[in-house]
Amino acid sequence: MPLQIAVLIMAAGASTRMKGIKQLMPWKDSNFLLETIKTVQKCHVLNITIVLGSNAELISNQCQLNDLDVHVITNTNWAEGLGNSIAHAVKVKLQQQETYDGILICLADQPLLSHEYLNKVINEFEKHPEKIIGTNYGKRVGVPALFPKIYFSELSKLKGDSGAKLFLNKQSESIISLQANKQIIDIDTNAEYEQLMAHTNKTKI
């Protein structure tokens, strides 16, 4: 029987370093958030949850999330940071008393992320279901990362803006780190967005 995996797509931040709402920035056929959802929907997962915070109602309405096969969690304390939003979402999932073998955490601002890479993470987890499967960032490990259920309680206690990074890097002996190369690029500023679009348009020529 395949392992039961839930996905949290983190989209709660205010994108203060960008002019505009990062989750809604145009990308491919729609925007960052919707394209991330499309990517995850191609993966072998049981449940997809979008974690919103800043501009939650606007994002939900513009992306028509209620019409998609996803769950939506809104963290009213999103300003306390990514760690707080992860903790809030995991608490909600635990309260729902649904059974998952693992939770895969992704970001909505990594537009180059592919479903092939996410399935690679999932396949590695199925071989080593007691391990955290993380993504190599050189000197550290980050998301996308897939956590087995023995870590759900600790995830529900995360705080601050570092997300799962500090937690991941304390668990080095329990992690298998995979290479995602340029897929780990995240977009935080308008300059980075313009570079992304320029490179994308250039490669289409």
Side-chain angles (χ1 to χ4, degrees), residues 126-177:
E126 289 178 339
K127 296 175 191 173
H128 306 280
E130 77 290 353
K131 296 282 190 179
I132 299 169
I133 314 300
T135 299
N136 191 320
Y137 281 71
K139 294 183 179 180
R140 63 179 179 86
V141 179
V143 296
L146 208 170
F147 298 85
K149 55 189 174 185
I150 57 172
Y151 294 104
F152 290 179
S153 177
E154 291 177 76
L155 288 175
S156 72
K157 298 171 185 174
L158 290 179
K159 297 178 181 179
D161 199 37
S162 60
K165 284 186 288 189
L166 289 178
F167 172 70
L168 280 168
N169 290 283
K170 289 179 184 176
Q171 308 289 335
S172 56
E173 295 182 2
S174 304
I175 293 176
I176 295 174
S177 178

Side-chain angles (χ1 to χ4, degrees), residues 79-131:
E80 294 186 20
L82 179 59
N84 181 276
S85 290
I86 292 173
H88 176 73
V90 172
K91 286 176 190 173
V92 172
K93 302 305 284 183
L94 292 175
Q95 290 167 359
Q96 292 172 346
Q97 297 185 337
E98 297 172 341
T99 302
Y100 303 111
D101 298 295
I103 290 178
L104 174 60
I105 296 177
C106 301
L107 304 178
D109 63 354
Q110 290 184 309
L112 300 182
L113 199 64
S114 70
H115 74 275
E116 289 90 352
Y117 177 70
L118 293 180
N119 277 333
K120 182 180 177 181
V121 172
I122 292 166
N123 292 339
E124 194 68 23
F125 181 67
E126 289 178 339
K127 296 175 191 173
H128 306 280
E130 77 290 353
K131 296 282 190 179

Side-chain angles (χ1 to χ4, degrees), residues 14-205:
S15 52
T16 53
R17 289 190 283 165
M18 285 189 102
K19 294 177 182 177
I21 299 172
K22 180 162 56 173
Q23 298 90 329
L24 301 179
M25 296 297 281
W27 176 243
K28 294 184 179 179
D29 295 326
S30 53
N31 57 47
F32 277 175
L33 178 54
L34 283 173
E35 292 301 326
T36 302
I37 293 170
K38 289 179 188 178
T39 297
V40 174
Q41 286 177 329
K42 296 176 183 176
C43 300
H44 312 309
V45 297
L46 177 67
N47 175 288
I48 300 172
T49 297
I50 317 302
V51 185
L52 299 178
S54 178
N55 300 299
E57 185 175 357
L58 176 62
I59 293 169
S60 181
N61 290 340
Q62 190 154 329
C63 293
Q64 298 181 313
L65 295 182
N66 291 334
D67 297 332
L68 303 179
D69 187 21
V70 299
H71 300 269
V72 177
I73 291 173
T74 300
N75 179 24
T76 56
N77 295 320
W78 60 267
E80 294 186 20
L82 179 59
N84 181 276
S85 290
I86 292 173
H88 176 73
V90 172
K91 286 176 190 173
V92 172
K93 302 305 284 183
L94 292 175
Q95 290 167 359
Q96 292 172 346
Q97 297 185 337
E98 297 172 341
T99 302
Y100 303 111
D101 298 295
I103 290 178
L104 174 60
I105 296 177
C106 301
L107 304 178
D109 63 354
Q110 290 184 309
L112 300 182
L113 199 64
S114 70
H115 74 275
E116 289 90 352
Y117 177 70
L118 293 180
N119 277 333
K120 182 180 177 181
V121 172
I122 292 166
N123 292 339
E124 194 68 23
F125 181 67
E126 289 178 339
K127 296 175 191 173
H128 306 280
E130 77 290 353
K131 296 282 190 179
I132 299 169
I133 314 300
T135 299
N136 191 320
Y137 281 71
K139 294 183 179 180
R140 63 179 179 86
V141 179
V143 296
L146 208 170
F147 298 85
K149 55 189 174 185
I150 57 172
Y151 294 104
F152 290 179
S153 177
E154 291 177 76
L155 288 175
S156 72
K157 298 171 185 174
L158 290 179
K159 297 178 181 179
D161 199 37
S162 60
K165 284 186 288 189
L166 289 178
F167 172 70
L168 280 168
N169 290 283
K170 289 179 184 176
Q171 308 289 335
S172 56
E173 295 182 2
S174 304
I175 293 176
I176 295 174
S177 178
L178 302 183
Q179 293 284 351
N181 301 316
K182 291 183 179 179
Q183 293 186 45
I184 63 174
I185 293 171
D186 59 357
I187 307 300
D188 290 322
T189 66
N190 289 90
E192 290 171 349
Y193 176 70
E194 289 168 7
Q195 289 174 357
L196 172 73
M197 299 304 290
H199 176 74
T200 303
N201 293 332
K202 185 177 179 180
T203 56
K204 287 180 180 178
I205 296 174

